[in-house]
Amino acid sequence: MLGTGHIGKTLARKLAAAGHNVKVANSRGPETIEAETLETGALPVKAEQTVSDVDVLILSIPLMRIPEISQLIRDLPADVIVADTSNYYPHRDQKIDAIEGGQVESLWVEEQLGRPVIKAWNAIGSGSFAAKGKPAGAEGRIAIPVTGDNKEHRELIMKLVSDTGFDAYDAGSLAESWRQQPGSPVYCTDLHYDEISAALASTEASRLATRRDLAAAIFQERAGDSRTNPDADFGVQVSRIIFM
């Protein structure tokens, strides 16, 4: 795991709890990683140690930071699977001309890293991800779309998604991952498996940025106010109203 933000720390906890050997790093050093992130067994390491002796590397860092780790990623053996959880938010990441011009976010990530990636865990809010996981087969289990061009790699990441408490939906090639970007009907709306197909099919590329920015403005307006600070359920409600 590279990244210990809201999604990254939950990934480290859930995957370690599921029995996987997990190393986790951030940009500030292993001594800064919170005990909560490590309490199920993840091992804190330096960033350069995340690329040695691993089968899967999961990136959970802001999209604007992706170019900074490109050399680190290029040192990975070719058979190591790279999964990306990032999303593009221009107010945070600054404007990226290629994405503003319509390039699919994860195809831009592939270009920066110089290797294929699998897109997963990007389309669920951090609150839902931390609190709403359920065992496989449980009623009402939330589903997460997964995209990527290597079918074997995609299927392995889908198994890891299930290990984190969510159904994995095979959403096809990475070129189709725009259908799970911010502003889309599957993004942070906590849909079940049988709802994902129709939501992906109804996605309109021309409306994603407007919807993404509208939702972000609503969340920012509420943030920091003890009376209205948005929780996970508020986020899901707003996303469903705006994105679906």
Side-chain angles (χ1 to χ4, degrees):
M1 279 295 314
L2 189 54
T4 56
H6 293 304
I7 295 293
K9 69 180 182 182
T10 300
L11 274 168
R13 288 171 51 83
K14 285 177 175 282
L15 290 173
H20 297 285
N21 294 320
V22 178
K23 297 188 291 185
V24 59
N26 62 18
S27 61
R28 302 181 303 280
E31 68 280 357
T32 68
I33 297 175
E34 297 176 351
E36 179 186 11
T37 303
L38 308 174
E39 66 182 7
T40 60
L43 177 69
V45 298
K46 296 180 179 179
E48 54 267 27
Q49 294 175 290
T50 61
V51 298
S52 62
D53 300 320
V54 294
D55 299 309
V56 176
L57 177 65
I58 302 175
L59 307 178
S60 192
I61 63 177
L63 187 135
M64 66 178 176
R65 300 280 309 282
I66 293 290
E68 299 174 20
I69 64 166
S70 60
Q71 189 55 55
L72 186 69
I73 301 303
R74 288 191 174 100
D75 292 337
L76 277 173
D79 61 345
V80 174
I81 301 169
V82 178
D84 171 40
T85 76
S86 67
N87 294 298
Y88 174 58
Y89 280 95
H91 68 274
R92 178 197 64 193
D93 299 314
Q94 302 179 349
K95 288 193 175 182
I96 298 173
D97 290 341
I99 296 176
E100 292 288 331
Q103 184 176 25
V104 176
E105 293 173 14
S106 289
L107 294 181
W108 181 87
V109 170
E110 278 195 336
E111 285 186 0
Q112 307 310 305
L113 298 180
R115 64 180 295 141
V117 301
I118 304 296
K119 185 79 163 186
W121 294 291
N122 77 296
I124 186 164
S126 59
S128 292
F129 187 45
K132 296 183 180 180
K134 294 184 177 183
E139 184 177 356
R141 202 181 196 213
I142 295 168
I144 296 176
V146 178
T147 50
D149 296 332
N150 184 310
K151 187 173 186 293
E152 181 181 347
H153 290 184
R154 192 168 70 239
E155 289 176 346
L156 191 146
I157 296 299
M158 290 173 65
K159 291 178 181 178
L160 295 184
V161 167
S162 183
D163 286 345
T164 62
F166 300 85
D167 285 337
Y169 185 93
D170 189 338
S173 71
L174 201 69
E176 291 298 308
S177 65
W178 63 271
R179 297 181 183 275
Q180 66 195 67
Q181 290 178 186
S184 70
V186 300
Y187 186 76
C188 295
T189 51
D190 287 5
L191 301 183
H192 302 153
Y193 187 90
D194 59 3
E195 299 173 303
I196 295 283
S197 179
L200 291 171
S202 69
T203 308
E204 301 174 71
S206 63
R207 305 179 77 172
L208 294 182
T210 299
R211 293 176 172 184
R212 174 201 66 204
D213 294 345
L214 178 58
I218 292 172
F219 298 146
Q220 288 174 340
E221 190 275 333
R222 292 253 183 165
D225 187 328
S226 60
R227 298 168 300 169
T228 62
N229 195 46
D231 59 12
D233 289 333
F234 175 82
V236 172
Q237 292 169 8
V238 169
S239 297
R240 288 189 170 200
I241 291 169
I242 297 175
F243 301 160
M244 297 182 71

